[in-house]
Amino acid sequence: MKAIIGISAYYHDSAAILLIDGCIVAAAQEERFTRKKHDSSFPKHAIAYVLQEAGLDGKDISYVAFYEKPFIKFERLLETYHAFAPKGLQSFVKAIPVWIKDKLYMKRILKKELETFGICSKILFPEHHLSHAASAFYPSPYEEAVVLTVDGVGEWATTTICRGNKETITLLRELQFPHSLGLLYSAFTYYCGFRVNSGEYKLMGLAPYGMLSERTLQYISLIKDFLVDIREDGSFLLNMDYFDYATGLKMTNNRKWTKLFGLPPRKPEGELTQEYMDMAYAIQQVTEEILLKLVATAKQLSGCENLVMAGGVALNCVANGKIQRSGLFENYYIQPAAGDAGGAIGAAFAVWHIYLQEKRTCEKPDGMSGAYLGPSFSDKDIRNMIRKAGAVAKRLDDVALYDKTAVLLDKGFIVGWFQGCMEFGPRALGNRSILADPRNTDMQKKLNLKIKYRESFRPFAPTVLEEDVARYFELDVPSPYMLLVAEIKPEYRLAVPDDYNDFSYFEKLYYHRSVLQAITHVDFTGRVQTVTELSNFRYYALLKAFKELTGCSVLVNTSFNVRGEPIVCTPEDAYTCFMSTEIDFLVLGNWFFCKNDQPKENIKEINKELID
C-alpha cells in the first residue's frame, strides 16, 4: 500500500486529500473545520480527518505532495519587483520579510507541521499548474484529453494547455504572469466592489443584469483597446499601466480606470448602479471570448476529442456552458474543486503517476466519488448532538422522511438537508444543502434576504433528476457538479414585455418570468446540477418523492451556510445555522427537526456586521 497526502495551503482555500494506491479516499477543506471562510492556514484538521477516515497513522504515509513550488514563486516575485522598479517599493517592503522569514522555508515549515501527526515521509513539490492539470486529467474518465488550466497565477504560469495521455501530462502552451485572465477578472471583481478571491462568482451572477447596450459595447471596446490585447489563439497581453497587482497593494490603478470608464471603483456594499452591472456584463463577455479562443487552440494543438479543465477560472460556469455548447469537443470534464483546494488532489496524483510512474485506470463516471469525500456522521453522533443541544427531533424511516420533506417543500417551506459525506469543493451537491420549491415566486427573495443574508441579485441553482434534465433545460449532458449554466426551455418561460432588457435592476429581479421562478436567472438561465441514483441515493429519492407529489423533478439547491461562513460540516454546525436563520425544518440523516418545536433559548442571532 502506498498512501499519499496532498496539501494546498498558505494562500487561500487550504485543503488536504488522501490518495491510497491511486484512489481518492478522503478530502476536505480546512475552512469547514475552523469555520473561517477560505482559511489559508496549514490544514491540520483536514489532515487529521483524512487519516482518521482511512484508519491510518502518520507512519503509514508514503509521500506528501504540496501543490506548488515556493522557490519558483519567490523567483517570480523578485523578478517582477525588479522589472517594475522603482514602482512597488511599499508592496516589496511588506512582502519580502514574510518570504524571508517563512515562505522560503516551506519545506521546513511543512516538516514541522507534519511531524505532529508522526508523518516523516518525503515531501514533493509539483508545480502549481501541473497540480491543476493533474487534478482535472487523472480523475477524468478519459485515457487521453487536452487539459486547459486557467487561474490567477501559480509560480509563473497563469494559463496552460497540456496533453494528457494515460499517465503522462505534456505541456503544449503556457501564458505567464503578469498576463492573467484570472487576475483580469479579479480586477473587475475588485472594481465592482466585491472581494478578490471570493467575490468573482458574484460578478458572474451580476453580469446578466447588464444590458447589451451602447454603454456595454463601449465598455467592451475600452477593455479590448486599453486593458487587454487578445490574439486569435486566445493568448493575450495586459496593459500593466492600468493594473497594480504585480507590485502594488491593490488590483487596479484607480485613477486610470476612473478616467477610462468614467466611474470610480464601487465601495463594498455601496449602491449597485446600472454602470457596474454593465461593467460586469462586459468583462464576462471578454472572458468568454478569450476562453473560447483558448479552447479552439487546445483543439487545434491536440486533435483530442476530450477536454478537461481546472483552475479558478474553470469555476466560471456561464463560460463553461458556452464552451460545452460550442461543440468543439465530444466530451468535457471539469474538476469540481477547480480552485486551489483541488490543487491538493492534483499534487497527490502527480506524485502517484509522474514521480512513481504508477499505471492509471480510468473510472466511470470519474474518480471523484461525486465529490462526496468529506466527513460523515452516524446516527449516534446526531443523537448526541440532540441531547447536548436540548434539541427536539423525531426519527423517521427513509420513505416517511422523503415523503414528509417533499410535502413541506411543496407547501413553500425551506429545509436544511444534511446527509452522508460532506462535499469537497465550493458547491453543496445535496449532502450539505438548503432546499426549496423552485415554483414559488417569492422563494429567491426569501432565501437571499432571510436565510443566506446576501445580495438580492444572487441566483439559486436548480437540482434536477438526470433523466429529466432535457425536459427543463437546453442541456443534453450530465452536470453532476453544478458547473454548467444552461437556458430554461421555452415552455417553462413566461412572456416578458418587449422592453424587459431596459427594466431597472429591481424590476428585472422580481419580474415573474418563469414557471420555475426561484432558479431562473434574469437571462433565463440556471446553474444546473443533475442527480442520479448512483451518485446520491438519498437526494435522488427525495427528488423522486417531490416529482411524484408535484410532477416537478427540480429543487432549489443552495449551500447550507449563511453569507460569510463556510458550508456546514457537523450536525452541530447544521443545527446552529438552522437556529440562526429562517430555515423552517432541518433533516439530519433520518432525524427531523421543526423550528417551532425547538427551545427558544437555542435561537441564535447572526452578527451581520461580521458578514463579508
Side-chain angles (χ1 to χ4, degrees):
M1 179 192 80
K2 286 191 177 73
I4 302 168
I5 283 183
I7 294 173
S8 65
Y10 302 120
Y11 182 46
H12 60 92
D13 296 310
S14 69
I17 79 109
L18 178 63
L19 201 70
I20 296 181
D21 292 338
C23 295
I24 304 172
V25 172
Q29 290 134 280
E30 187 69 4
E31 65 165 19
R32 306 293 170 83
F33 303 97
T34 63
R35 311 308 301 156
K36 179 183 176 183
K37 196 164 188 180
H38 302 299
D39 194 343
S40 62
S41 62
F42 181 80
K44 60 182 180 181
H45 298 89
I47 291 174
Y49 155 66
V50 299
L51 288 172
Q52 181 183 12
E53 183 67 18
L56 299 182
D57 296 321
K59 61 179 175 14
D60 299 316
I61 301 303
S62 310
Y63 297 92
V64 173
F66 190 71
Y67 78 129
E68 62 185 9
K69 291 183 179 292
F71 275 108
I72 299 179
K73 206 168 186 177
F74 184 63
E75 174 192 74
R76 185 252 297 169
L77 198 71
L78 290 178
E79 288 195 24
T80 300
Y81 281 122
H82 179 264
F84 283 88
K87 279 181 65 178
L89 179 61
Q90 185 182 1
S91 174
F92 179 84
V93 169
K94 186 177 179 180
I96 293 303
V98 176
W99 274 90
I100 292 175
K101 182 182 176 183
D102 292 322
K103 293 186 178 181
L104 267 182
Y105 304 99
M106 186 64 70
K107 192 169 188 178
R108 186 177 71 187
I109 292 168
L110 291 172
K111 275 189 173 183
K112 185 176 179 181
E113 294 281 7
L114 291 165
E115 282 170 3
T116 64
F117 296 95
I119 300 173
C120 300
S121 48
K122 188 171 185 176
I123 305 173
L124 297 165
F125 296 84
E127 288 189 7
H128 184 98
H129 271 260
L130 175 60
S131 293
H132 275 318
S135 78
F137 177 60
Y138 292 127
S140 80
Y142 316 126
E143 188 171 283
E144 184 178 21
V146 63
V147 189
L148 176 64
T149 69
V150 189
D151 68 358
V153 62
E155 293 86 6
W156 278 103
T158 65
T159 299
T160 66
I161 299 173
C162 302
R163 182 199 299 274
N165 186 356
K166 296 181 180 176
E167 293 80 36
T168 64
I169 293 177
T170 306
L171 180 66
L172 303 178
R173 289 277 178 90
E174 180 178 279
L175 186 66
Q176 293 193 343
F177 185 84
H179 309 293
S180 164
L181 183 56
L183 291 174
L184 174 65
Y185 202 84
S186 290
F188 279 86
T189 300
Y190 158 79
Y191 207 79
C192 289
F194 304 118
R195 185 175 292 182
V196 173
N197 288 331
S198 65
E200 285 77 6
Y201 59 95
K202 298 181 185 181
L203 192 72
M204 183 181 68
L206 184 64
Y209 291 93
M211 298 180 293
L212 188 56
S213 62
E214 186 175 334
R215 181 166 55 219
T216 52
L217 290 174
Q218 181 188 16
Y219 284 169
I220 291 169
S221 294
L222 290 173
I223 292 169
K224 290 183 177 182
D225 291 344
F226 291 91
L227 300 186
V228 55
D229 177 15
I230 306 171
R231 311 296 169 83
E232 275 307 304
D233 64 356
S235 63
F236 56 89
L237 296 174
L238 297 185
N239 182 352
M240 295 309 296
D241 289 342
Y242 285 85
F243 299 91
D244 278 353
Y245 62 74
T247 56
L249 298 174
K250 58 184 187 299
M251 293 300 297
T252 64
N253 183 317
N254 291 346
R255 180 180 58 82
K256 288 194 172 186
W257 277 53
T258 300
K259 184 178 179 181
L260 181 65
F261 291 105
L263 75 161
R266 173 179 167 262
K267 293 181 179 179
E269 306 301 324
E271 182 185 0
L272 264 174
T273 62
Q274 189 62 50
E275 289 85 355
Y276 294 106
M277 299 177 200
D278 292 347
M279 183 176 275
Y281 178 90
I283 189 57
Q284 180 65 31
Q285 294 299 308
V286 171
T287 298
E288 291 168 10
E289 178 184 340
I290 292 171
L291 284 171
L292 284 166
K293 287 179 184 293
L294 284 170
V295 167
T297 299
K299 174 74 173 183
Q300 180 184 1
L301 289 173
S302 68
C304 291
E305 295 299 333
N306 306 315
L307 171 69
V308 300
M309 295 173 61
V313 178
L315 293 172
N316 192 311
C317 48
V318 178
N320 293 343
K322 292 188 178 180
I323 291 170
Q324 188 271 326
R325 290 191 295 277
S326 72
L328 282 167
F329 290 87
E330 287 188 13
N331 302 298
Y332 300 81
Y333 179 78
I334 304 165
Q335 164 56 239
D340 278 5
I345 290 176
F349 270 119
V351 169
W352 180 249
H353 290 299
I354 298 173
Y355 182 77
L356 297 176
Q357 298 186 327
E358 295 285 354
K359 295 296 182 184
R360 177 169 173 251
T361 302
C362 298
E363 296 183 43
K364 303 286 186 179
D366 65 12
M368 287 294 296
S369 300
Y372 305 113
L373 296 165
S376 62
F377 297 86
S378 67
D379 200 71
K380 181 181 178 181
D381 294 327
I382 298 169
R383 286 179 188 270
N384 289 339
M385 185 282 294
I386 293 169
R387 187 185 69 254
K388 289 177 183 177
V392 177
K394 182 179 181 181
R395 196 181 192 285
L396 304 176
D397 64 39
D398 286 354
V399 174
L401 186 75
Y402 305 139
D403 289 345
K404 187 177 182 68
T405 304
V407 167
L408 292 169
L409 290 167
D410 181 43
K411 289 181 177 179
F413 293 110
I414 296 170
V415 178
W417 183 256
F418 181 107
Q419 303 291 334
C421 293
M422 180 181 68
E423 299 90 341
F424 182 69
R427 309 291 182 221
L429 301 171
N431 279 6
R432 302 291 187 275
S433 294
I434 297 172
L435 307 177
D437 185 349
R439 303 166 302 164
N440 189 306
T441 55
D442 296 322
M443 190 55 70
Q444 193 255 5
K445 182 177 183 180
K446 183 178 179 182
L447 283 168
N448 268 333
L449 300 183
K450 295 188 175 184
I451 307 296
K452 303 284 283 188
Y453 304 118
R454 68 186 197 180
E455 301 92 345
S456 57
F457 68 82
R458 302 270 294 278
F460 288 98
T463 293
V464 60
L465 296 171
E466 187 178 291
E467 60 266 29
D468 290 347
V469 64
R471 171 183 163 191
Y472 296 98
F473 303 97
E474 301 288 357
L475 186 65
D476 57 1
V477 296
S479 179
Y481 298 122
M482 209 182 277
L483 286 170
L484 295 176
V485 162
E487 290 189 350
I488 310 294
K489 282 284 184 77
E491 51 265 41
Y492 293 95
R493 304 183 189 187
L494 300 177
V496 296
D498 292 339
D499 61 346
Y500 173 75
N501 285 332
D502 297 327
F503 279 15
S504 70
Y505 162 57
F506 281 108
E507 287 175 322
K508 192 178 286 188
L509 174 62
Y510 296 123
Y511 195 87
H512 192 192
R513 58 188 169 271
S514 168
V515 174
L516 303 172
Q517 178 74 7
I519 55 87
T520 303
H521 205 11
V522 292
D523 59 350
F524 296 97
T525 64
R527 189 182 70 214
V528 181
Q529 178 201 2
T530 56
V531 179
T532 66
E533 193 169 15
L534 182 63
S535 66
N536 191 327
F537 174 82
R538 293 177 73 80
Y539 193 29
Y540 181 86
L542 175 61
L543 282 160
K544 288 282 282 187
F546 188 73
K547 178 183 179 180
E548 289 167 8
L549 177 67
T550 66
C552 176
S553 49
V554 181
L555 285 174
V556 177
N557 175 11
T558 187
S559 56
F560 200 155
N561 65 322
V562 297
R563 179 185 174 198
E565 287 189 356
I567 295 171
V568 300
C569 175
T570 66
E572 289 81 4
D573 297 337
Y575 187 73
T576 298
C577 187
F578 169 58
M579 294 303 295
S580 58
T581 64
E582 295 187 34
I583 296 174
D584 301 298
F585 297 93
L586 172 65
V587 178
L588 297 180
N590 283 77
W591 289 90
F592 184 85
F593 300 72
C594 172
K595 177 67 67 63
N596 291 336
D597 294 339
Q598 304 309 307
K600 295 294 183 268
E601 59 268 24
N602 284 359
I603 295 174
K604 293 181 170 51
E605 292 292 330
I606 290 286
N607 184 353
K608 299 191 178 70
E609 292 181 1
L610 297 179
I611 291 177
D612 67 353

